[in-house]
Amino acid sequence: MCFSPEGDLVGGTTVLLIGIDACRHLRGRREYLAMAVLPIVFGLHQIDETFVWWWLQGHVPRSVGTVAMWIYLLFAMVALPTLVPLLVSLFEPNRLRRVIILPFLLLGLFTSGVMFEAMLADRVTAHLRPFHIGYSIGLKNGILFVGLYIIATCGSLIASGFRPVIIFGFANLIAVIGLAKLNADGFASLWCFYAAIVSGAIALHLRGGRPHPRRSLQISRDGRAQELKV
């Protein structure tokens, strides 16, 4: 099975290691730090879901599985809608671009709040489904808030000024729309797995990029300062 405890464990570990490696090879490109860290978070997230699988299959105690389920859903449903636009905003050097991203951040905060309230007010459940885990948080008007979720996360990525981030945004937008239509209760499980793999691909791209040139000044014979790239 592609989506299984083994798939989550292997995929999550791979993406985690890619993220760690990308952070070690940024070579002065600090504006990409948040994008390099994201695969580490996604990798840990997928490893956490492994314990949800094992609980539902009867391999670990209910207490362990319940804690893993809550960690998984708190990240997927509550943290991500705010975290993604926040990270995008933090490494945007252009002030105008940060202003453009601000509405996505505010929308993410609102969506996160609604999701968190729904989780506290109703019974959170997880069930085994073919090739994924089906989660339910008792959210009313689920289609509406899934739409807001997509706008906050994918919209902020697409609004970025960095090409790798924009590509990441479009790749996730296409996937998340398709997954939401195909399988509503598997949205959190399937999309987070896909997002982890794509973030790993972006991290590999960052690892192979060239460092920014350092700049220094040299005084020419006529007394003028000249900027050199070294």
Side-chain angles (χ1 to χ4, degrees):
M1 290 174 62
C2 294
F3 301 99
S4 62
E6 296 79 14
D8 270 336
L9 183 60
V10 173
T13 302
T14 301
V15 172
L16 171 64
L17 294 176
I18 290 173
I20 293 172
D21 184 66
C23 289
R24 294 178 58 248
H25 292 85
L26 287 177
R27 301 190 199 84
R29 297 169 298 162
R30 293 185 179 181
E31 69 273 20
Y32 287 126
L33 178 61
M35 187 53 59
V37 168
L38 196 57
I40 296 177
V41 180
F42 270 123
L44 292 172
H45 190 225
Q46 292 310 127
I47 293 173
D48 172 77
E49 193 182 37
T50 303
F51 291 91
V52 184
W53 280 99
W54 286 340
W55 162 48
L56 296 175
Q57 293 174 343
H59 302 313
V60 300
R62 179 182 181 87
S63 57
V64 174
T66 302
V67 171
M69 176 186 69
W70 272 91
I71 291 174
Y72 189 87
L73 288 175
L74 284 172
F75 178 77
M77 298 298 187
V78 180
L80 269 183
T82 299
L83 180 63
V84 172
L86 177 61
L87 289 179
V88 174
S89 177
L90 286 176
F91 69 75
E92 287 291 340
N94 187 291
R95 183 177 180 181
L96 177 60
R97 188 72 62 174
R98 292 197 297 269
V99 172
I100 293 173
I101 295 171
L102 180 59
F104 296 105
L105 176 57
L106 296 176
L107 181 61
L109 283 168
F110 171 71
T111 306
S112 295
V114 172
M115 296 282 192
F116 186 54
E117 183 182 12
M119 290 178 65
L120 295 178
D122 208 330
R123 182 169 174 264
V124 176
T125 60
H127 301 281
L128 287 177
R129 298 283 188 263
F131 305 108
H132 71 277
I133 295 176
Y135 295 99
S136 175
I137 63 173
L139 181 66
K140 297 179 180 178
N141 300 316
I143 295 177
L144 170 63
F145 286 102
V146 167
L148 296 179
Y149 183 109
I150 294 171
I151 294 172
T153 53
C154 297
S156 61
L157 293 166
I158 294 171
S160 171
F162 295 99
R163 182 177 296 178
V165 181
I166 296 172
I167 295 172
F168 182 38
F170 275 113
N172 276 281
L173 178 62
I174 294 171
V176 76
I177 292 175
L179 291 173
K181 287 184 177 180
L182 288 174
N183 203 315
D185 74 342
F187 169 78
S189 182
L190 295 174
W191 180 65
C192 285
F193 186 91
Y194 174 84
I197 300 301
V198 175
S199 69
I202 298 299
L204 281 176
H205 171 79
L206 296 180
R207 186 200 189 283
R210 295 180 179 178
H212 290 320
R214 291 178 294 155
R215 300 180 184 273
S216 62
L217 292 178
Q218 182 179 19
I219 305 301
S220 63
R221 291 181 180 179
D222 59 2
R224 295 181 179 180
Q226 296 178 335
E227 187 178 54
L228 298 178
K229 296 179 180 180
V230 295

